[in-house]
Amino acid sequence: MGTRKINANRIVVKVGTSSLIHPNGAINLETFDQLAYTLSALNNQGKELILVSSGAMGVGLNKMHLKQRPAEIGAQQALSAIGQSELMTLFTQRFDHYLTDIAQVLLTHDIFDYPKSNKFVMDTFNCLLKDNVVPVVNENDTVATDELDHRTTFGDNDQLSAIVTSHMNADLLIVLSDIDGFYDQNPKKFTDAHLISEVSNVADDEFTVAGGSGSRFGTGGMHTKLLAAQRMLAEDRQMVLANGKDPQIIFDILAGKPVGTLFSKECVNHE
């Protein structure tokens, strides 16, 4: 596999809960640090970056010394509020270390549904990017209950990141998860699973392979990532799904190295 053609200046990076929280529920400080370092370095190169971060619930659980999500919506929202504050504290500390300013942007789906509120949010994003500030985006869980256990709004942060990529007319969406990319079967169940390096079309066959949801701390799974990829392909944008264990993989992605799975109309085939 040769060098890929990745041409991106405005980039949305989505990091999943599984990358920020260890399986035992503890915060993965190394990932926070390396993510801040990587995005700061790219910001210094003149790239426009938006970070969509999951993890508020997971960080909240850790902060309150809980092992599993409570059943009540109000309790889930309270944990998300606690976790969101802690999440931003962690990001602020690490981005400050690399001399990069960040801003919190909490969204609900209806913001994009109404032209006036949509314009205000887009203006906010554009002003932040113009000032070399990295927006850190999450769903506003304290007022949007749909993501948690009810009918979907964004549904999950994979969808949120795809919507932000669309509305901000970004060139590339990078989704960092706990898996190396998209496989022909579940690699956690089948040892002979094969990583598909490039995908030019997301059809029913891919969704059949995708299966169910992700970790106990997060809400997304491969299915939601394929929905995001499908949207990106329909809009002639690119998306890369890669392992977020070491966020410096973003450097490799932008250099065109064949890591993760590239979803692009320019891909010749699925292999």
Side-chain angles (χ1 to χ4, degrees), residues 9-13 48-52 105 107 111-112 117-130 133 135 137 160-173 231-232 235 237:
N9 186 61
R10 180 170 287 188
I11 304 158
V12 176
V13 176
E48 295 182 328
L49 298 148
I50 298 171
L51 174 61
V52 177
V105 180
L107 299 172
I111 286 170
F112 294 106
S117 60
N118 181 66
K119 181 183 183 303
F120 287 149
V121 169
M122 293 305 105
D123 288 347
T124 300
F125 272 119
N126 283 315
C127 285
L128 291 170
L129 295 177
K130 180 171 163 287
V133 177
V137 182
L160 171 58
S161 65
I163 290 169
V164 170
T165 303
S166 296
H167 283 261
M168 287 303 297
N169 196 26
D171 309 305
L172 173 67
L173 170 60
R231 179 175 183 138
M232 295 299 94
E235 297 175 0
R237 306 182 200 278

Side-chain angles (χ1 to χ4, degrees), residues 61-77:
L61 287 166
N62 179 72
K63 179 80 171 175
M64 302 306 289
H65 309 292
L66 299 173
K67 292 299 182 186
Q68 58 185 24
R69 287 161 48 142
E72 301 81 11
I73 295 294
Q76 292 181 22
Q77 290 174 307

Side-chain angles (χ1 to χ4, degrees), residues 4-262:
R4 293 168 173 168
K5 185 180 178 183
I6 302 286
N7 206 355
N9 186 61
R10 180 170 287 188
I11 304 158
V12 176
V13 176
K14 186 265 178 177
V15 61
T17 301
S18 58
S19 298
L20 298 175
I21 307 292
H22 289 297
N24 65 0
I27 294 168
N28 189 333
L29 295 173
E30 185 177 4
T31 299
F32 274 93
D33 182 76
Q34 291 305 301
L35 188 61
Y37 165 73
T38 302
L39 298 189
S40 296
L42 293 171
N43 189 55
N44 288 342
Q45 294 172 21
K47 300 288 188 185
E48 295 182 328
L49 298 148
I50 298 171
L51 174 61
V52 177
S53 176
S54 300
M57 177 73 73
V59 173
L61 287 166
N62 179 72
K63 179 80 171 175
M64 302 306 289
H65 309 292
L66 299 173
K67 292 299 182 186
Q68 58 185 24
R69 287 161 48 142
E72 301 81 11
I73 295 294
Q76 292 181 22
Q77 290 174 307
L79 269 180
S80 291
I82 292 166
Q84 185 64 34
S85 174
E86 190 76 2
L87 192 67
M88 288 307 296
T89 298
L90 289 163
F91 276 130
T92 299
Q93 288 173 345
R94 299 323 304 152
F95 275 95
D96 276 352
H97 182 72
Y98 297 109
L99 307 177
T100 299
D101 294 322
I102 64 171
Q104 176 175 255
V105 180
L106 295 178
L107 299 172
T108 52
H109 202 295
D110 56 355
I111 286 170
F112 294 106
D113 294 334
Y114 295 97
K116 186 174 284 189
S117 60
N118 181 66
K119 181 183 183 303
F120 287 149
V121 169
M122 293 305 105
D123 288 347
T124 300
F125 272 119
N126 283 315
C127 285
L128 291 170
L129 295 177
K130 180 171 163 287
D131 291 336
N132 296 319
V133 177
V134 177
V136 180
V137 182
N138 200 354
E139 181 158 5
N140 191 349
D141 287 330
T142 57
V143 296
T145 61
D146 301 351
E147 177 201 5
L148 301 173
D149 286 321
H150 287 201
R151 182 180 58 82
T152 60
T153 48
F154 291 117
D156 53 84
N157 278 354
D158 294 322
Q159 301 313 299
L160 171 58
S161 65
I163 290 169
V164 170
T165 303
S166 296
H167 283 261
M168 287 303 297
N169 196 26
D171 309 305
L172 173 67
L173 170 60
I174 297 174
V175 177
L176 300 179
S177 186
D178 60 350
I179 193 168
D180 290 340
F182 180 60
Y183 286 78
D184 59 356
Q185 53 187 336
N186 190 340
K188 295 177 181 178
K189 292 181 180 178
F190 302 97
T191 56
D192 60 343
H194 175 63
L195 177 67
I196 301 173
S197 179
E198 297 185 355
V199 175
S200 59
N201 179 52
V202 176
D204 290 345
D205 287 349
E206 282 78 15
F207 282 106
T208 301
V209 170
S213 63
S215 73
R216 65 192 175 106
F217 298 109
T219 56
M222 185 57 68
H223 183 87
T224 62
K225 290 164 182 55
L226 287 182
L227 285 172
Q230 196 173 52
R231 179 175 183 138
M232 295 299 94
L233 288 169
E235 297 175 0
D236 206 13
R237 306 182 200 278
Q238 292 182 310
M239 174 178 140
V240 174
L241 172 62
N243 198 312
K245 184 177 181 181
D246 182 358
Q248 291 190 61
I249 197 172
I250 294 171
F251 292 133
D252 292 337
I253 290 169
L254 295 180
K257 295 182 181 179
V259 294
T261 299
L262 170 63

